[in-house]
Amino acid sequence: NAGVTQTPKFQVLKTGQSMTLQCAQDMNHNSMYWYRQDPGMGLRLIYYSASEGTTDKGEVPNGYNVSRLNKREFSLRLESAAPSQTSVYFCASSRGNSYGYTFGSGTRLTVV
Amino acid sequence: QKEVEQNSGPLSVPEGAIASLNCTYSDRGSQSFFWYRQYSGKSPELIMSIYSNGDKEDGRFTAQLNKASQYVSLLIRDSQPSDSATYLCAAARDNYGQNFVFGPGTRLSVLP
């Protein structure tokens, strides 16, 4: 029972490079989320997908795009990475807010 | 702006003592409340959920909710060094979407 799987676990990018963070869940959850976590800032929502085929902006969407590929997969793309995007990124999924979220193991991204 | 507030800590308690973690929330429409534990370098892990006023016990953990005071707490009895982590409080309003707000977390240190 894998839960929420994120890849890669670590990544170093140069400013201006692009990359896609992958997330997949095997719990048949409708909703999926991308968060970033920075020291002193807590968890901040980047984008979410309430159900397959829908995506919406969260608190800090600038510089990111997402794709809900199917019910299982929700990817986060950085088109032109900036040092301000250095962070730990977490994907999460849920079958509804009242059930809480299940988080992936995270991607530690450094942009130099 | 919906907010969840927590003391950042660190909260230091001796091994075997009761650790008390507190959280307040601003949105009176919040219906579900959660406590997550996050070890350093790891992802948040759901440890307790509570929906009704009063206490909910699970092993050494007790969650307390007072909706009138907009207050949630987590008690950890017989604290162990392995409980040393950051504890995130979260409040959820609707069943879907982004109405799920995390607090900044309280760092707990249990001293042997």
Side-chain angles (χ1 to χ4, degrees), chain A residues 30-31 33 35 37 42-43 45 48 50 57-59 90 95-105 108, chain B residues 1 32 34 36 38 41-46 49 51 88 92-100 102-104:
Chain A
N30 284 318
S31 303
Y33 307 83
Y35 283 87
Q37 188 175 40
L43 284 163
L45 183 64
Y48 70 100
K57 296 178 180 179
E59 180 184 356
F90 290 107
R95 59 175 167 145
N97 281 355
S98 59
Y99 298 95
Y101 290 3
T102 300
F103 284 86
S105 58
R108 189 172 295 273
Chain B
Q1 182 80 2
S32 307
F34 306 89
Y36 285 81
Q38 186 175 23
K42 302 295 185 182
S43 60
E45 172 194 11
L46 180 63
S49 58
Y51 311 101
L88 306 174
R93 197 175 209 263
D94 299 330
N95 200 32
Y96 297 102
Q98 65 167 323
N99 294 302
F100 195 105
F102 285 93

Side-chain angles (χ1 to χ4, degrees), chain A residues 5 11 13 17 22-23 31 33 37 41-42 47-48 53 56 62 75 81 88-90 92 99:
Chain A
T5 303
Q11 184 71 48
L13 289 179
Q17 287 185 319
Q22 306 287 353
C23 176
S31 303
Y33 307 83
Q37 188 175 40
M41 302 294 288
Y47 271 94
Y48 70 100
D56 285 285
N62 291 345
S75 62
V88 180
Y89 292 85
F90 290 107
Y99 298 95

Side-chain angles (χ1 to χ4, degrees), chain B residues 77-95:
Chain B
R77 291 182 300 280
D78 189 24
S79 295
Q80 300 297 309
S82 59
D83 295 324
S84 297
T86 297
Y87 289 81
L88 306 174
C89 175
R93 197 175 209 263
D94 299 330
N95 200 32

Side-chain angles (χ1 to χ4, degrees), chain A:
Chain A
N1 191 2
V4 180
T5 303
Q6 284 183 240
T7 55
K9 294 192 182 304
F10 301 93
Q11 184 71 48
V12 179
L13 289 179
K14 294 182 179 179
T15 298
Q17 287 185 319
S18 62
M19 78 162 296
T20 300
L21 282 64
Q22 306 287 353
C23 176
Q25 51 93 7
D26 63 1
M27 296 173 288
N28 201 35
H29 286 171
N30 284 318
S31 303
M32 298 186 73
Y33 307 83
W34 276 105
Y35 283 87
R36 60 178 289 174
Q37 188 175 40
D38 303 289
M41 302 294 288
L43 284 163
R44 292 185 291 170
L45 183 64
I46 304 171
Y47 271 94
Y48 70 100
S49 172
S51 61
E52 185 178 356
T54 70
T55 61
D56 285 285
K57 296 178 180 179
E59 180 184 356
V60 288
N62 291 345
Y64 305 95
N65 284 302
V66 291
S67 296
R68 183 74 183 266
L69 304 170
N70 48 53
K71 191 170 186 179
R72 291 186 62 250
E73 299 173 284
F74 188 39
S75 62
L76 178 71
R77 183 161 178 83
L78 286 71
E79 292 290 352
S80 179
S84 61
Q85 294 177 305
T86 293
S87 187
V88 180
Y89 292 85
F90 290 107
C91 178
S93 71
S94 173
R95 59 175 167 145
N97 281 355
S98 59
Y99 298 95
Y101 290 3
T102 300
F103 284 86
S105 58
T107 296
R108 189 172 295 273
L109 175 67
T110 302
V111 183
V112 298

